[in-house]
Amino acid sequence: MSSPADAFFFTFLSLLLASGAANLDIGKTLSGYSEFSDFVNMLNETGVADEINNKETVTVLAVANGNLGGLYGQTTETKKMVLSVHVVLDYYDETKLNKSHSKTAKILTTLYQETGKARSQVGFLNMTNTGNGTVIFSSSSPNSHLEAQLVKQVTSKPYDLSVLQIDNLIDVALVSSSPANAPAYAPPPRKVLAPAPTPSLDEVDNGKSPSPSKTKASEASPPDADADAPAGGDEKKSGASVPCGDYFLSTILMIFTCACLVLSMI
């Protein structure tokens, strides 16, 4: 059975650990640095400040007011995504970075990776220090092209909070256009032409132009009286033409006969 002293000790230890885990205040830490006032306001506006304050160990890559142009006017959600990429879930101060000489980039995990929305390595950063005194940060996303360079150490609370200034925002364009989030700009939808209405069968029949011969026969001229006449009428017509042919032949024969007589007399 535990004594009251043991219970008091464990209670005191729990309170001490809890206070140590929640003693970060990024807003208060940067309150004396006016060049980061807009950066801090955006952290508070998006709730990223609260997430930083709830971490035990974190490194903030701060950007001065004059280099935040890409975030002004963006939606709160877009700002939160971009700022979350500028929060590293580990402790890195200037001394530790200067000792991290390597020919290959070191992969850093960011706060955005924890959201589960990161796509195409956007939740990770590449940190490069080739030993020439320049430390470079860039997105691990293959579509990222802009790098950010370390400017200076702003402030630190060893192994809990480190604030480093970088010269510009890290290129996280893919964050604002990832499938899990709506893009800041969407191209106008393509205009779809409505299909022509399909005519009905009655419309098709009525739409056909009548033949000119049919129109003249049915409308311009009266019905032919001989159209319904029996076949005998046709025989009469052909019979009337026969005498004309015989008369023509007989006339030719008469002329020929006369010519023959005249020749014989000569």
Side-chain angles (χ1 to χ4, degrees), residues 33-43 45-46 62-80 82-83 86 167-169 172 176 184:
Y33 300 90
S34 59
E35 66 267 36
F36 300 113
S37 59
D38 289 351
F39 182 77
V40 174
N41 289 337
M42 290 184 184
L43 291 178
E45 173 192 351
T46 59
V63 182
N65 299 337
N67 296 325
L68 289 172
L71 282 185
Y72 292 115
Q74 295 291 340
T75 64
T76 301
E77 185 64 21
T78 299
K79 291 178 183 178
K80 183 174 183 178
V82 175
L83 293 175
H86 289 71
D167 60 353
N168 54 254
L169 288 169
V172 287
S176 60

Side-chain angles (χ1 to χ4, degrees), residues 52 57-62 85-93 97 108 137 153 160-164:
I52 292 174
T57 303
V58 70
T59 299
V60 178
L61 304 178
V85 177
H86 289 71
V87 179
V88 179
L89 301 181
D90 201 348
Y91 181 84
Y92 289 93
D93 57 16
L97 290 176
L108 310 179
F137 296 93
Q153 176 83 53
D160 292 334
L161 173 65
S162 175
V163 180
L164 304 172

